[in-house]
Amino acid sequence: MQAQSLRDFFSVLRARFSVCFFGIIAVSVWIQCCFYQHPFSENAQESSLIGSISRAALIVLLIVAFVCGHFNEREQKLADWLSVSTLTVTAALYVAQNEIPHLPVTLLETLLAGIGIAWGIGMWMRFYERLQPDEALVYTFICLALSSVINFCMTLMPHVMCYVLCIFLPIVSYVAYHQAMRELDKRNAQQMFHVKHNGERDGKRDAAIAAHEEHDGERVATNPTGIIDGAGSAAGAGDATHDVTSAIAAGSIMNTASNTFTNTPKPVYDAEPISTVIRILAGIALLGFAVGLAGAYPFYQASALSMPLRIVHQVGVCMLSCGLIWWALIHGGGLKFGTMWRFIIGFIIAGVILVALSSENSIALGILLIAIANTFLAGYLWFTAYDYGRHLSMPTYVVLGAVWIVYILPRELGRCVILRLDAFNGLTLLPVIAISFLVVVGIALLLSDNLPYTRPLFADFSGKTAREIHNQSFDPSLDKSLDQPLEAPSLPASAVPINATPSTTLDARCKYIRQHFGLTERETDMVRLLAHGRSKTSISKELFISENTVKSYTRNVYSKLNIHSKQQLLDILDNLTI
């Protein structure tokens, strides 16, 4: 979905757009209006802690079920219905309690809410894990922005009307989720048909190429990459792999055993040291506790924003979400794990400093900054769990559940702790000291762009340019996945051994270019298709994207490699040696 302009971006988004993909907004709004009851209940902080504990308990059980393999598709569908039913009943209880204030169902409401949303929102991760990173990024932060705006609008309604609407939100989310999964199934079926069609077409051509090369053995030695020249003539037998390449570029990999398509990148995080996982989770937990303390300080109660600041809060979240999408997918600035944490922590630190100044205006502004950071952090953690789980052999829900537990429980605990400190009048600076300490430790744990070590998070959104690469010294040890590391271009293409497999050498060269020139997965696949001689029209048909989008990808590749033509790209591939 990466593009060079807003016009290209919306052109691609429209081609892959479906309203049902935004169904997660329904359950997100339900959580804000019912689970946190903001700003309806004076005891929302304490009740949300109880609900968070019940939510965490069920998440632990679900994680155990996933890991042990006892949570199959049938059981997941049953969990879908149980979650919808629980959330619907909970919203109905809120309506009843609003009409009968002394109805003793508060504890039941809280427990049911925590249990319902443990899977009610978690089931959407099964949808997200089937998306490519660029598409997942767009829907994550657009949904975050829209849910924030809708929640604000609902807080302007009478309480009973808001709760009545929440009765219908769980079923809306359920219907949208299953429709979204069917849309992805339909998309994958179209891709499978297209790949099979291309495979039949190219099988005949490859047979002709093989017959020709039988009488011209020098071609494999002089052009081992299988690259097709500018006129489109064949130059190697490796082109038979293009159908699988096309499927990868389109966001799917064909499983020949089942004739289905799945989005299954390599589980590189299976080899990640456990110490790295503990470090990341500990940093998230500390920052969650700091956000909880800061959210109720300095009044030692839930800090409610005034109406003008609520508007600024929603506008701020929307601007940050849209700005992130623009930066990563249109500007091409890239995303880095540590850099994003610096940005979020910067908001928290600025908010704490303003609150500590103790003036009325500075306190209001500080609370606003902390609220924006807390809301934006929800979307960021969701996408972090998606990116990590996508490269792990375990289900992505396991990662999401672990992240939610270590963030939400400490945050709610921090809020409850700060609410109890009002009895200690002489300790007014203690929260500031505690928040500052937690933030500093969180910085030490999380502010590294190289975490995890086996593959940095958000590696699909590298913003590194070719010029930056040229200014760096080459280190062959960077690519540990190759038996023999690639070296800097120094020998002509004819130096490649005659027994080199064309598809292997091309894949190795593309891997080198991706790693050292900062290409995304889609841009790397574009290089591979161009190397196979595909025209822009052919690529657009194979990947179900517009020709303008193909041109945008091509421009991105040329810009990062500091080249200006397809021939220069082919020359780079030819001059790389193993």
Side-chain angles (χ1 to χ4, degrees), residues 131-408:
L131 300 177
Q132 283 292 289
D134 52 358
E135 200 172 9
L137 181 76
V138 169
Y139 285 114
T140 295
F141 287 97
I142 288 182
C143 288
L144 176 68
L146 292 178
S147 63
S148 184
V149 172
I150 294 173
N151 177 62
F152 168 73
C153 294
M154 291 188 70
T155 59
L156 302 178
M157 302 177 182
H159 296 175
V160 65
M161 183 181 296
C162 182
Y163 290 140
V164 169
L165 289 177
C166 286
I167 292 177
F168 300 97
L169 292 181
I171 192 63
V172 170
S173 174
Y174 174 84
V175 172
Y177 166 75
H178 285 279
Q179 180 61 33
M181 297 293 276
R182 286 191 290 270
E183 289 288 335
L184 291 185
D185 291 338
K186 186 186 302 183
R187 180 193 297 183
N188 288 345
Q190 292 173 345
Q191 292 169 353
M192 182 173 66
F193 171 80
H194 199 79
V195 168
K196 285 183 176 180
H197 174 74
N198 288 337
E200 293 174 358
R201 180 193 64 188
D202 290 322
K204 299 178 180 179
R205 186 188 62 186
D206 291 338
I209 292 174
H212 180 70
E213 288 184 344
E214 185 177 351
H215 299 86
D216 191 6
E218 293 182 358
R219 298 187 64 178
V220 176
T222 58
N223 197 359
T225 62
I227 295 173
I228 296 178
D229 58 25
S233 60
D239 198 35
T241 62
H242 92 282
D243 51 325
V244 176
T245 302
S246 301
I248 295 173
S252 303
I253 298 176
M254 184 174 181
N255 184 332
T256 55
S258 61
N259 258 5
T260 59
F261 278 78
T262 54
N263 186 6
T264 53
K266 293 182 180 179
V268 294
Y269 291 144
D270 287 356
E272 187 68 30
I274 189 64
S275 58
T276 304
V277 178
I278 294 175
R279 174 180 173 180
I280 293 175
L281 294 179
I284 293 174
L286 289 175
L287 287 178
F289 192 68
V291 169
L293 292 176
Y297 182 79
F299 302 115
Y300 301 100
Q301 60 183 353
S303 301
L305 296 174
S306 62
M307 182 59 66
L309 290 183
R310 286 189 203 172
I311 296 175
V312 175
H313 172 256
Q314 312 308 328
V315 172
V317 171
C318 292
M319 290 181 63
L320 287 177
S321 300
C322 294
L324 179 63
I325 295 172
W326 172 83
W327 176 261
L329 301 181
I330 300 175
H331 178 70
L335 291 179
K336 294 183 178 180
F337 180 69
T339 302
M340 289 298 298
W341 274 110
R342 293 185 191 98
F343 181 78
I344 295 171
I345 290 176
F347 267 72
I348 298 175
I349 293 175
V352 172
I353 292 175
L354 288 171
V355 168
L357 294 178
S358 299
S359 69
E360 182 178 352
N361 291 332
S362 66
I363 290 175
L365 183 57
I367 293 173
L368 172 65
L369 292 179
I370 294 170
I372 292 175
N374 183 37
T375 304
F376 187 76
L377 190 55
Y380 178 69
L381 290 176
W382 177 275
F383 190 73
T384 299
Y386 155 83
D387 191 64
Y388 195 98
R390 189 168 174 265
H391 296 84
L392 196 68
S393 59
M394 290 188 293
T396 308
Y397 181 85
V398 174
V399 181
L400 177 67
V403 169
W404 263 186
I405 288 173
V406 301
Y407 175 71
I408 292 176

Side-chain angles (χ1 to χ4, degrees), residues 1-5 7-13 15-16 134 522-523 526 536 539-540 543-556:
M1 196 176 290
Q2 290 180 324
Q4 288 291 96
S5 65
R7 181 179 179 181
D8 288 340
F9 173 78
F10 285 112
S11 175
V12 178
L13 180 62
R16 298 159 68 177
D134 52 358
R522 183 56 61 87
E523 290 167 352
M526 193 64 61
K536 292 180 175 62
I539 294 174
S540 68
L543 303 186
F544 302 99
I545 58 178
S546 67
E547 289 192 35
N548 286 334
T549 304
V550 175
K551 293 177 182 179
S552 297
Y553 283 128
T554 305
R555 285 195 297 266
N556 288 342

